[in-house]
Amino acid sequence: MEHGLSGRQLFVEQLKPAAKAESTRAEFEAEAMPHVNDLFRTAARILGDGTRAEDVVQEVYLQAWKSYHRFEAGTNCRAWLFRILFHCINHHRRKWFRFPLLKESEEFLEANLVAPPPTIDHLTDAEILAALDRIPDEFRAVILLVDVEEFAYKDAATILSLPLGTVMSRISRGRKLLRAQLQSVAESYGIGKKLAKEQGL
Amino acid sequence: MSSEPMDSIPRDEQLAARLRQAVRSQQVPPELQVKIRQRLDAEQQRQEQGVWRAAVWVPAAAALILCISAGVAYQQGHLRLTAGQRESFMNSMLVKVSTTMRPGLDDHLHCSVYGRVPDTIPPLAQAVKDLPPQFAEVLTVVQQQAPQSFQLYSAHLCTRRGRKFVHFQLKSESKLLSVIITRRNVEESFVRDQILPELQEHGVALYEARAARFQMAAIETRDYLAYVVSDLGGAENRKLMLAMAPGIQSVLRKLES
């Protein structure tokens, strides 16, 4: 008799609740677990604390699991997880501490910055990360999403619940601030000056 | 998801690549995935326990509510399926009122509460076909004074415990109303029982009683007792009896003379 269902559909419908839960859990892990490292690193850079980042990432997975029934298969799981991540970070931020907004001096700095490309090849990972950590949180978040995690602006805007224009302006200002930070680190080692000298400048 | 049209700001690829390299050089705690799985396990277990608890408690609570509701309904005289259970309920109601009130309440319980109440109101001619003609004037009084929401579905002569009653039965959507007239036995008298009337108006002495949800108002003449028994409130039931009393008294006095 033709019942119009494929063998797989029949199999899924006939699964017992416990088995169905196990199968959903396996699907969830297969979709979500590959992104755990990216989530942790972003959380650590935003929060500046590995232990808190661990807690937040665990919370992200718990929240994601609880609302997994609303997740549409085939859509961008990674973006969905990052969105939950920033939701959790905002929640914890309110609990733990208040992030300073962009200070006037920083605004002045980035507005007047002529950003020569720093010689970043001579800097260590730790120095680059330290420079990243020194730029205000709202810019750092956008740089992490767009430049590090390679999300499209549109996705970054969705993840951060911001208008697209705000994301674009923040990425531009954030990159300038980062270059300035890197330049000052480089100069403190005399790298920029040395390079300029070599170039006869 | 393509980002090309939006990514119009030139990216410093060298800087971005170096940044990616630096960020990805961070060590991720190797036990993080295990911790996540443990929290998911705990959550899954909690959910399953919740489902199990609900599976046990929801039917148990429903059963308890059902039992309590059935108990309350039984106490109010519903769910009395056998004649014995009904008699037991009727007796339990009768002992709550005075001897002179009992015949009216007994007939209302037997004939209206446990009798057949039609779903649709029959035509008047059919409803009154068993009414003794000498009480036809009472029918007019009942029809004129009964609340608009009540409709007469039967007016008849009935017998209960060897005693005859003229019974006018009315019903609204959820309530029953009886106007009952019976010959007074010698020993039955509110006056003789030294029961004080609830009020005396235009020469009508009105007596009242209540047994559970049944409200009664009664008058007596030389040879008759007349009752209004209903599920209405005390004030409404009294008002109804006061409105009907002159007409009923007039008919009964004619019969007595």
Side-chain angles (χ1 to χ4, degrees), chain A residues 102 106 109-111 113 115 135 138-144 146-147 153 164-180, chain B residues 6 8-12 15:
Chain A
L102 185 61
E106 285 160 342
L109 173 69
E110 74 83 18
L113 197 66
I135 70 167
E138 57 265 41
F139 299 103
R140 200 183 330 141
V142 181
I143 286 180
L144 282 166
V146 175
D147 283 347
Y153 291 156
L164 186 60
T166 308
V167 169
M168 292 175 78
S169 115
R170 283 190 188 176
I171 193 72
S172 167
R173 295 169 77 186
R175 281 172 186 161
K176 283 183 191 172
L177 287 168
L178 181 62
R179 282 195 200 101
Chain B
M6 294 296 178
S8 52
I9 299 167
R11 195 202 298 254
D12 182 339
L15 174 63

Side-chain angles (χ1 to χ4, degrees), chain B residues 33-82:
Chain B
Q33 290 207 15
V34 175
K35 283 182 180 173
I36 290 169
R37 287 199 171 92
Q38 282 172 346
R39 282 192 71 171
L40 296 183
D41 286 343
E43 174 61 20
Q44 208 171 350
Q45 213 170 1
R46 201 185 60 77
Q47 282 175 354
E48 280 164 12
Q49 279 173 351
V51 170
W52 183 83
R53 280 196 196 114
V56 171
W57 284 107
V58 169
L64 186 68
I65 290 167
L66 207 65
C67 286
I68 292 170
S69 308
V72 170
Y74 192 79
Q75 286 303 313
Q76 289 184 342
H78 305 289
L79 305 174
R80 305 276 176 153
L81 303 176
T82 64

Side-chain angles (χ1 to χ4, degrees), chain B residues 71-126:
Chain B
V72 170
Y74 192 79
Q75 286 303 313
Q76 289 184 342
H78 305 289
L79 305 174
R80 305 276 176 153
L81 303 176
T82 64
Q85 288 172 337
R86 288 174 182 178
E87 283 300 327
S88 153
F89 176 73
M90 286 190 270
N91 290 334
S92 73
M93 291 294 111
L94 293 180
V95 294
K96 292 182 179 173
V97 298
S98 67
T99 323
T100 314
M101 276 289 183
R102 283 177 195 170
L105 179 59
D106 192 26
D107 192 48
H108 174 74
L109 290 171
H110 177 259
C111 211
S112 293
V113 176
Y114 291 128
R116 193 186 152 269
V117 180
D119 293 330
T120 50
I121 303 296
L124 186 65
Q126 195 188 326

Side-chain angles (χ1 to χ4, degrees), chain A residues 21-175:
Chain A
E22 279 307 313
S23 119
T24 314
R25 171 75 183 274
E27 280 169 28
F28 172 74
E29 289 200 14
E31 284 260 24
M33 277 306 186
H35 309 298
V36 68
N37 291 353
D38 291 342
L39 287 163
F40 172 80
R41 286 175 185 133
T42 304
R45 287 274 63 84
I46 295 284
L47 297 167
D49 183 331
T51 312
R52 279 180 185 166
E54 257 193 84
D55 288 345
V56 166
V57 171
Q58 285 180 46
E59 186 63 27
V60 168
Y61 276 84
L62 195 62
Q63 294 300 326
W65 169 237
K66 281 182 187 171
S67 52
Y68 188 57
H69 59 281
R70 289 201 294 267
F71 174 73
E72 284 174 42
T75 59
N76 191 341
C77 181
R78 189 163 171 267
W80 179 60
L81 289 170
F82 270 85
R83 190 163 189 198
I84 299 173
L85 172 72
F86 277 91
H87 178 81
C88 288
I89 286 174
N90 286 334
H91 175 77
H92 283 273
R93 222 185 241 171
R94 274 181 236 121
K95 206 166 73 176
W96 290 334
F97 47 84
R98 292 181 62 179
F99 271 74
L101 291 171
L102 185 61
K103 291 185 193 82
E104 228 173 88
S105 59
E106 285 160 342
E107 281 183 4
F108 178 82
L109 173 69
E110 74 83 18
N112 294 283
L113 197 66
V114 180
T119 48
I120 49 175
D121 287 342
H122 295 90
L123 298 178
T124 63
D125 288 345
E127 285 161 349
I128 290 173
L129 292 179
L132 178 64
D133 290 347
R134 277 197 294 274
I135 70 167
D137 173 60
E138 57 265 41
F139 299 103
R140 200 183 330 141
V142 181
I143 286 180
L144 282 166
L145 288 177
V146 175
D147 283 347
V148 178
E149 297 303 332
E150 299 177 282
F151 279 109
Y153 291 156
K154 196 175 71 178
D155 292 340
T158 308
I159 289 167
L160 295 169
S161 305
L162 288 173
L164 186 60
T166 308
V167 169
M168 292 175 78
S169 115
R170 283 190 188 176
I171 193 72
S172 167
R173 295 169 77 186
R175 281 172 186 161

Side-chain angles (χ1 to χ4, degrees), chain B residues 148-186:
Chain B
Q148 280 195 333
S149 56
F150 282 86
Q151 286 182 289
L152 184 95
Y153 66 90
S154 175
H156 61 270
L157 184 70
C158 54
T159 306
R160 168 75 176 152
R161 300 187 208 261
R163 183 174 187 153
K164 287 185 174 166
F165 295 89
V166 175
H167 193 169
F168 299 85
Q169 294 178 295
L170 297 93
K171 71 166 211 170
S172 71
E173 274 199 8
S174 59
K175 290 177 176 166
L176 294 173
L177 170 68
S178 288
V179 178
I180 297 164
I181 297 167
T182 186
R183 258 191 185 279
R184 189 158 70 82
N185 289 336
V186 183

Side-chain angles (χ1 to χ4, degrees), chain B residues 190-206:
Chain B
F190 293 110
V191 179
R192 184 182 291 183
D193 291 346
Q194 296 183 326
I195 294 170
L196 291 173
E198 202 62 40
L199 61 91
Q200 222 156 352
E201 216 171 88
H202 308 301
V204 177
L206 188 143

